Amino acid sequence: MLSCREVTEMANAYLDRDLSWSAKAQFRLHLMMCKHCRRYVDQLAKTVTLLRQAPAEAPDRGTEDKLAELFRNADRPRL
């Protein structure tokens, strides 16, 4: 049987229907027995659905600059 780690690593392929028949069967067997992985795959599926529905607009330049600054400073220790 697959481990929880293997299920999380395979979740995208499962949702994209990129698993072989036997891998899909093992995946589904694990989901039947593990409520935590069922919840994870369900949340991932909902996230994918919401992201596909989101508008494909690029952020304005000011927003890009603010995000870039936040990412640059994210690794810096806070004093």
Side-chain angles (χ1 to χ4, degrees):
M1 186 169 86
L2 296 174
S3 68
C4 293
R5 180 180 294 258
E6 290 170 317
V7 167
T8 58
E9 290 172 356
M10 297 169 63
N12 284 327
Y14 174 77
L15 293 175
D16 290 340
R17 298 182 176 151
D18 262 354
L19 294 179
S20 68
W21 182 88
S22 62
K24 188 178 0 178
Q26 291 177 26
F27 192 94
R28 287 182 176 172
L29 178 63
H30 182 96
L31 291 183
M32 286 191 295
M33 297 172 28
C34 181
K35 70 178 181 179
H36 303 291
C37 286
R38 274 195 311 273
R39 188 177 304 139
Y40 173 78
V41 172
D42 183 54
Q43 289 173 350
L44 184 60
K46 288 176 182 175
T47 300
V48 168
T49 299
L50 288 172
L51 287 173
R52 286 184 178 149
Q53 295 172 355
E57 300 174 10
D60 62 66
R61 186 66 187 161
T63 302
E64 283 183 25
D65 292 341
K66 288 177 188 175
L67 287 171
E69 182 68 22
L70 287 170
F71 283 118
R72 274 193 296 275
N73 294 328
D75 290 335
R76 293 184 184 163
R78 303 201 191 262
L79 302 175

